[in-house]
Amino acid sequence: MLLGNERKWTDYFTFCTDHKVIGIQYLVTAFFFYLIGGALATAMRTELATPAPDVVTPDVYNGLLTLHGTVMLFLWIVPAGAGLANYLIPLMIGARDMAFPRLNAIAFWMIPPSGILLISSFFYEPPQAGWTSYPPLSLTTGMLGEGIWILSVLLGGTASILGGLNFLVTILKMRVPSMPLTKMPLFCWAMIATSLLILISTPVLAGALILLAFDLIAGTAFFNPTGGGNPVVYQHMFWFYSHPAVYIFVLPLFGAISEVVSVHARKPIFGYRAIAYSSIVISFLGLIVWAHHMFTSGTPPWLRMFFMITTMVIAVPTGIKVFGWVATLWRGKIAFTSAMLFALGFISLFLIGGISGVMLAAVPFDIHVHDTYFVVAHFHYVLFGASVFGIFMAVYHWFPKMTGRMMNEFWGKVHFALSFIGMNLTFMPMHELGLRGMNRRIALYDPQFTDLNVIATIGAYVMAVSTIPFLINAVWSWRYGEKAPANPWRALTLEWQTLSPPHIENFEELPELITGPYDYGLGYTAERDPEELYAHAVPAPAS
Ligand code: HEM
Ligand SMILES: [Cu+2]
């Protein structure tokens, strides 16, 4: 079976330096871990269907919780974003590959061992301290599980740094000569911002984890209060990475959504420069707001004021993006494809998460709901909305390019409807649970919270079911789907100006930029087919 034009399926299990193979390796690995993370979540929600800890012991619940958070963040969102970037960046800028192809493959091949390590920790001694791994808890609940957890995250972090470096150099150095920065697809702008964040903040997390490992294994006392260490210093270092990390997770998908909204509404993107530069502004502000996670950690009031204001200011560049997407949709010729539906789902869920985020930025409110289910609701609207809806959107949009086949639209819509209903059923009640005072990270709770927890658990099952039509659709379409043309959505960005799937070196002859990336409805698409525009760059499809 040939998957790419000249690729065998076994190539996907090798140390291959083709960015398209690496992109698909990342994406498939990420989906594998999404299923694991989702299974862990379903197990947790099953436990939480009743107030008593009757399905798993509290220790096992803590292990499920720690693994769920870590898998979803470091083995699902991050690799999926890296997979999209790997696949798309060289094609979008008209390059033949990434700047450092071998480094690229090395970075990918750190992910599977990182995942295997993490999962194996569960069978030795489930790590207990959650994805934040705060000391002193992380230092007192067993060395083995926690040690393996640290090793796994360090490996994933290293992969992320190598990837970020590669994306940055590729975008800045490898564009076709006719493409200035201001004619670059917005996805590439988003990846510049993401890569800068990765390069600045991930090393700080690595530092924190290495010091934590010393405390754990060698008995030092950087963070261990019994030896005179300061656990709050760990929190500062951890959140200096992990707040910006939220943008490392969502910025690539912000980029992807700009591509999808404009093509499927057939309108020029509204405010190209504002959307491009807002990514950079978000990165800068993202680096100076970390202590909003520490309002209740003894932070003095004058300092809380600074972090409250800077946090709220991030709503401005984020709002500019959302406004740009909505204005692009306004009076567009919207095609309600599966990709567009997931984009609309993304925008609406992210908006809800953004609003509860501004609420949490307000110190008095945060003190009230800190570590309650309100916070769990908030970050799932942001992270689930962006990651699951954003990544599925990207898959429906770029599947024809990656595989040369179309996905089935009917089952795509069924998948969307189930995901959207399930997601809201699961996480909307958690706002109320939090306001009423239900703590997060607990396996047993007060019976007064039962009703809303039952609703959330039903929602989680609906979401589990929603992945079935997707999985069948993806596998079936990959093999038997309708053959995709080079440019099924009649898009103007360069990745569509070559075969589906592209051949090994991407372009027969390097494409030349004739229109801007989003000049839809300005005469090019109305009278002329973009394939004709780029006819010289599109070799005749192989039969
Ligand atoms: C598939 C549907 C999902 C369900 C049913 C679900 C459910 C849960 C539950 C019940 C918790 C425990 C809350 C607590 O006790 O504090 C949790 C925590 C968490 N979830 Fe999810 N989740 C889902 C998807 C996701 C996704 C897609 C992400 C990120 C991309 C994510 C990231 C997290 C994180 C970071 C935590 C916190 C872990 C910790 O505190 O250590 N979840 N989730
Ligand atoms: Cu934050």
Side-chain angles (χ1 to χ4, degrees), residues 34 37-38 41-42 44-45 48 61 65-66 68-70 72-73 76-77 129-132 373 376 379-380 383-384 387-388 426-427 430 439-442 456 460 463:
Y34 176 60
T42 313
M44 270 192 288
R45 285 298 344 161
L48 294 171
Y61 182 86
L65 168 74
T66 305
H68 164 72
T70 315
M72 286 298 195
L73 299 178
W76 157 242
I77 310 194
W131 85 283
T132 54
Y373 261 84
V376 181
F379 70 70
H380 280 95
L383 290 174
F384 191 103
S387 76
V388 180
T426 311
F427 297 112
M430 292 186 188
N439 273 75
R440 64 184 285 208
R441 294 184 167 176
I442 48 172
M463 275 195 287

Side-chain angles (χ1 to χ4, degrees), residues 256-315:
I257 205 166
S258 301
E259 308 296 328
V260 171
V261 163
S262 170
V263 181
H264 295 258
R266 305 228 63 77
K267 265 187 59 192
I269 192 94
F270 184 91
Y272 172 90
R273 278 171 195 245
I275 292 184
Y277 301 156
S278 64
S279 294
I280 309 290
V281 176
I282 288 176
S283 310
F284 172 72
L285 290 173
L287 284 165
I288 57 167
V289 301
W290 74 92
H292 62 211
H293 296 273
M294 301 167 61
F295 284 153
T296 61
S297 303
T299 311
W302 63 269
L303 199 56
R304 293 200 293 209
M305 192 70 98
F306 171 81
F307 284 103
M308 169 164 127
I309 292 167
T310 47
T311 302
M312 288 183 173
V313 169
I314 298 194

Side-chain angles (χ1 to χ4, degrees), residues 239 242-244 246-247 286 289-293 311 378:
W239 288 111
S242 290
H243 182 79
V246 175
Y247 300 100
V289 301
W290 74 92
H292 62 211
H293 296 273
T311 302
H378 155 69

Side-chain angles (χ1 to χ4, degrees), residues 196-217:
L196 288 172
L197 276 180
I198 291 176
L199 292 176
I200 295 170
S201 66
T202 314
V204 180
L205 174 73
L209 292 181
I210 290 170
L211 296 181
L212 189 69
F214 274 125
D215 278 9
L216 185 73
I217 297 163

